[in-house]
Amino acid sequence: MPLLQSLRTWSLAMCGICGILDMRDAPVSPEALAGMTAQLSHRGPDDAGVYLDGAVGFGHRRLSVIDLSGGRQPLRNEDGTVWVTYNGEIYNYRGLRPSLERKGHRFATDCDTEVIVHAYEEDGLDCVSQFNGMFAFALWDRTKRLLVLARDRLGIKPLYYGVFGGVFLFASEIKAILAHPAARCEIDPDGVADYLLCTSLLDSRTMFRGIRSLVPGGILAVHDGELRLHIYWSMARAALRHAGSSLEESRDAVRGLLNSAVAAQVVSDVPLGTLLSGGLDSSVVSALAAGHVGGRLKTFAMGYDHGATLRPDDIDGRYAELVARAYHTEHTEFVFRPEDYRDAMSRVTWHVEKPVDLTSPSLFLLYREVKPNVTVVMSGEGADELFAGYYFFLDRCGSGTPAEFPWAPYLDEVGALLDPDFVARTRCRDRIRATLSADMDSFQSDDPLNKLLYLFLKYYLVEMLERLDKTSMAWGVESRVPFLDHHLVEYVLNLPACYKAKPDINKVVLRSVAADLLPAAVVTRQKRPVPIPVDPKSVWAERNRANALVQAHDSRIAGYFDRKKVDDFFRKKNQFAATDNLAIFRTAHALVALDAWHQAFGVTA
C-alpha cells in the first residue's frame, strides 16, 4: 500500500507541487522528496503533504482558496489507484462535477482538485480539454505506471521538469528540482543567449541546463522511461475561426466573454481584490468585478515617493482614484521608496529564477503589501498582448517581422558586446531569428499584426505570467487573469487587426467595451508602464555598475562579453559614440540582472 504522510507545517506563502519518478525503479528517498517540498514552502502557508509509492513521490504545499477544511493534497480517487498533486484553479469544476457523479464517481471533498482525478478516470488524457482555468498538475496512474504532467493553455501556472541520472524530477519552481541530490545546478548557455538577445527564453528553455518548462497547452506522459509530449491546445489551431462581422458585434462579444470570465474568477472562500493601476486593463477588470462581489471591492495601486520616476509619479494614482470613486471600491495606494526597489532585487531574482526585468521588484513589493488585505487578486495581465496595447503597434501596426519586436534592439545593442566564441558556440543570432520566423510562419493568418501578436502571446506573455506567478506567490497571493480565459483568447485571436490597433489608437475594441464602464479620462488614456524608480542619475549609476561587473577580475559574467566593447559601449566611445541613454540603461540593467542571477544561484559563466 502507498504511504500518505501529512506534514502539518505553517509558513509564509503559496501553493506549489513537486515530484520524483525514478525510472530505474529504485525507491524514492523520503528525505529527498521532503527537501524538494521544503523549497516550495513560501508557496503554501496552509498545509503540506507527500505521497510515496515505491519509485514515485509527490510533494505539495497548499494555499487554501476553495474548500478551506478539505482538499488536502496529494489527493487520490476512491481506491487509491490515481493520485494527483495540483496547483491552480479550475473555474468550471462545479459544472463538471454533476456529470461525473452521475457516472458513479464519489467525491470526498468540495475542491476542484478532485475533479481532475475523476475526469481522468473517465476520459484519460483528454480530460484536460474540459478544464477552464489556470493549472499545473501531476497525476500518477498506479495501474498503468503512468506519470502525467499537464499545464493550462496559456501558461499561467508554471511547471518545470528534467531527467538526471535516470531520475525524472518536476516542480512548480526550479529551485525545488535543484534541491534533489541527482540534479545539477549548471548554466544553459542557450538560455543565457536567449535572455541577452531577446529577453524571452525560447523552445521551453530555462536558464539551467537539463531543466525545461512544460509548454503551455501541453501534456507530458512519462512511461517505461519514455517522455512523450502531447499538445491539447495551441493558439495556432485556435485562430482558425471567424469572429464577428462588425466592431459593435465584437465589442458585445468581448464584453460578454470577459464578464463571464470575471464572474467565474471572483469565486473564492478567502478575501479577494483587484490591482487597479488606473490603466485601461485593470480598470475594466475592476469595474466588472465590482458588480460580482458581495460588499465593497478592495482595489490596490502603487507608486514611488521623491519623484523618483522619469514620468510624474502621481499619474497612476489620479486615474485609479477616478475608477475607485466610480465603483465605490475600498482603494489603497502603497507608496514605496527607491531604496525598497533596490533592496528587493536579490530576493526577487531568487523567486523568479532568471534575470529579472525592470518591473519585477515593483510587483514583488506590491504583493507584499497586498497580502495582509486579501489572498486572491485579479489583474489585467494579457490584455496588451491580445489587443495590441504596446506603443510600438501604433503608426506601423506591425509589419509581421521579428524585427519589430520590443526585444529587437537587444539583437543589435547587446549582440554587439558578446564574446565571439560565445556567439559561435550557441549560434544564438541565427537560432533566435530562425525560431521567431518559423513560429510566425506557423500562425495561419494573412494579417501581419495578428501574426506578430501571436509571437507576443507565445513568448513575451509567458515571461510576464511567470513574473506574475512568482512575485505574487512569494507572498502567498493568488493572482488571477480574466483576460486569459481561453474562450476570450480564442475569440480575440480571430478578430481583424483593425479592431485591435490603428495608426492613432490601440486596443480599439477594448476601448469600445470600456466606454460604457469607465470615466472618459481613463478610456482615452494611453498605456503607462508599471512604476519603477528611475531618474537620470540612476541611469548613469546603473551604467557604471554594469561596466564594473564585467571588468572585474573575478567577474561572474565576463565570459559572455568582449570586455573592451562593453567598456566602449558604456563610455560611448568609438563605434558606440552615438548610443542613446535608453539603450545604455536597458543594456546596463540586462547585465546587472544577469549578474544577480549568477550570484543568487551560485553559478559562473
Side-chain angles (χ1 to χ4, degrees):
M1 292 292 292
L3 170 67
L4 177 64
Q5 179 185 3
S6 295
L7 305 175
R8 285 190 173 275
T9 56
W10 304 88
S11 64
L12 280 179
M14 190 174 173
C15 187
I17 66 175
C18 64
I20 305 167
L21 171 62
D22 195 308
M23 297 190 290
R24 305 160 302 181
D25 211 30
V28 166
S29 162
E31 292 78 17
L33 182 59
M36 293 177 67
T37 307
Q39 288 295 311
L40 301 172
S41 62
H42 59 280
R43 295 179 72 103
D46 298 329
D47 203 3
V50 299
Y51 162 71
L52 290 167
D53 181 17
V56 175
F58 283 176
H60 186 266
R61 298 288 313 202
R62 185 188 184 208
L63 174 77
S64 299
V65 174
I66 301 290
D67 189 11
L68 303 187
S69 61
R72 299 180 62 198
Q73 296 187 48
L75 186 147
R76 65 181 179 90
N77 65 346
E78 298 93 332
D79 62 4
T81 57
V82 178
W83 288 80
V84 69
T85 183
Y86 153 72
N87 172 33
E89 300 286 345
I90 296 175
Y91 302 121
N92 64 331
Y93 80 99
R94 288 194 171 105
L96 297 173
R97 178 169 171 157
S99 174
L100 293 167
E101 288 177 323
R102 287 193 295 270
K103 294 173 181 177
H105 298 278
R106 301 189 307 276
F107 284 76
T109 74
D110 187 38
C111 70
D112 54 344
T113 311
E114 199 170 0
V115 168
I116 298 173
V117 171
H118 297 308
Y120 170 79
E121 289 183 285
E122 198 65 36
D123 298 309
L125 299 183
D126 291 339
C127 71
V128 184
S129 298
Q130 304 172 32
F131 303 151
N132 179 12
M134 54 179 190
F135 54 84
F137 67 81
L139 181 146
W140 174 240
D141 186 327
R142 296 186 66 216
T143 303
K144 296 180 179 178
R145 310 303 293 176
L146 172 68
L147 175 66
V148 177
L149 270 59
R151 192 177 182 194
D152 65 68
R153 293 166 179 82
L154 276 302
I156 303 168
K157 287 297 176 184
L159 190 56
Y160 305 95
Y161 66 92
V163 181
F164 298 91
V167 181
F168 180 88
L169 305 171
F170 70 86
S172 296
E173 295 188 7
I174 295 170
K175 59 182 67 68
I177 293 176
L178 295 176
H180 191 278
R184 299 182 303 275
C185 185
E186 298 176 348
I187 293 170
D188 184 340
D190 288 339
V192 174
D194 285 359
Y195 162 73
L196 288 171
L197 291 180
C198 68
T199 74
S200 297
L201 303 189
L202 310 180
D203 298 323
S204 301
R205 194 173 287 113
T206 72
M207 300 287 289
F208 300 87
R209 189 191 303 274
I211 300 177
R212 311 291 287 189
S213 175
L214 181 59
V215 63
I219 301 171
L220 186 68
V222 187
H223 183 254
D224 285 342
E226 292 188 19
L227 280 61
R228 294 187 177 181
L229 180 64
H230 308 265
I231 304 299
Y232 70 91
W233 186 91
S234 73
M235 285 178 284
R237 291 201 299 261
L240 297 175
R241 296 182 297 276
H242 178 69
S245 59
S246 70
L247 180 61
E248 291 73 21
E249 288 180 354
S250 298
R251 175 200 62 204
D252 294 343
V254 167
R255 175 164 178 167
L257 288 166
L258 181 58
N259 188 53
S260 296
V262 170
Q265 295 184 30
V266 297
V267 175
S268 174
D269 294 336
V270 294
L272 175 143
T274 67
L275 301 186
L276 176 58
S277 68
L280 186 70
D281 313 332
S282 65
S283 297
V284 168
V285 168
S286 297
L288 293 175
H292 292 290
V293 299
R296 294 178 67 191
L297 177 70
K298 294 178 182 288
T299 55
F300 305 96
M302 69 165 295
Y304 286 95
D305 62 5
H306 306 311
T309 58
L310 292 173
R311 61 189 177 83
D313 62 345
D314 62 340
I315 288 180
D316 282 349
R318 291 205 305 267
Y319 288 94
E321 285 289 347
L322 286 176
V323 179
R325 287 199 299 269
Y327 286 92
H328 308 288
T329 74
E330 185 179 329
H331 187 64
T332 305
E333 181 178 19
F334 303 109
V335 178
F336 303 109
R337 302 169 303 163
E339 51 265 39
D340 295 330
Y341 179 97
R342 292 189 291 272
D343 292 345
M345 275 291 295
S346 61
R347 292 186 65 190
V348 179
T349 301
W350 185 82
H351 281 287
V352 175
E353 302 175 324
K354 66 175 62 171
V356 299
D357 66 359
L358 286 165
T359 59
S360 293
S362 297
L363 290 173
F364 180 78
L365 294 170
L366 175 59
Y367 285 117
R368 182 191 69 185
E369 300 304 313
V370 163
K371 176 59 180 177
N373 298 277
V374 297
T375 303
V376 177
V377 294
M378 303 173 75
S379 77
E381 205 78 43
D384 286 317
E385 291 77 17
L386 278 174
F387 296 99
Y390 296 109
Y391 71 91
F392 37 76
F393 290 127
L394 299 176
D395 300 326
R396 294 170 294 178
C397 291
S399 68
T401 65
E404 283 204 26
F405 269 64
W407 53 68
Y410 287 84
L411 290 169
D412 299 321
E413 293 163 10
V414 179
L417 309 181
L418 294 178
D419 177 76
D421 290 339
F422 177 72
V423 174
R425 188 167 74 252
T426 59
R427 299 175 52 250
C428 50
R429 288 194 183 93
D430 293 340
R431 176 177 55 80
I432 290 170
R433 290 187 186 278
T435 297
L436 295 178
S437 295
D439 281 333
M440 183 172 284
D441 290 342
S442 72
F443 189 74
Q444 298 180 22
S445 172
D446 295 329
D447 196 311
L449 177 58
N450 278 337
K451 290 171 76 70
L452 194 59
L453 288 172
Y454 167 65
L455 285 191
F456 269 77
L457 288 160
K458 182 169 182 177
Y459 290 120
Y460 192 66
L461 176 64
V462 172
E463 296 289 325
M464 297 300 99
L465 292 174
E466 185 172 296
R467 175 191 72 181
L468 185 74
D469 171 86
K470 293 180 179 178
T471 54
S472 61
M473 285 190 173
W475 302 105
V477 176
E478 178 176 294
S479 187
R480 298 179 177 177
V481 283
F483 276 109
L484 297 182
D485 178 281
H486 74 274
H487 300 296
L488 176 60
V489 170
E490 289 174 353
Y491 183 85
V492 176
L493 281 172
N494 287 278
L495 289 176
C498 62
Y499 290 1
K500 301 172 186 178
K502 295 181 179 180
D504 58 344
I505 186 172
N506 58 8
K507 298 181 182 177
V508 176
V509 68
L510 186 58
R511 291 186 191 278
S512 183
V513 170
D516 295 331
L517 295 172
L518 303 174
V522 178
V523 176
T524 58
R525 184 189 181 202
Q526 291 301 311
K527 177 177 173 59
R528 295 283 182 172
V530 173
I532 55 175
V534 176
D535 58 24
K537 290 183 180 179
S538 67
V539 171
W540 291 104
E542 194 83 339
R543 176 206 71 169
N544 294 334
R545 182 182 175 194
N547 197 19
L549 288 171
V550 174
Q551 306 303 332
H553 74 277
D554 58 349
S555 173
R556 286 178 285 262
I557 62 174
Y560 307 121
F561 301 101
D562 181 314
R563 278 185 159 125
K564 183 181 185 307
K565 288 183 178 178
V566 169
D567 189 64
D568 284 352
F569 178 85
F570 286 122
R571 296 179 186 278
K572 302 178 72 169
K573 294 167 57 179
N574 300 322
Q575 72 265 41
F576 303 109
T579 306
D580 62 41
N581 288 344
L582 175 60
I584 288 175
F585 178 66
R586 63 190 173 204
T587 302
H589 176 80
L591 272 57
V592 169
L594 180 61
D595 180 80
W597 173 78
H598 280 73
Q599 184 174 8
F601 290 93
V603 289
T604 305

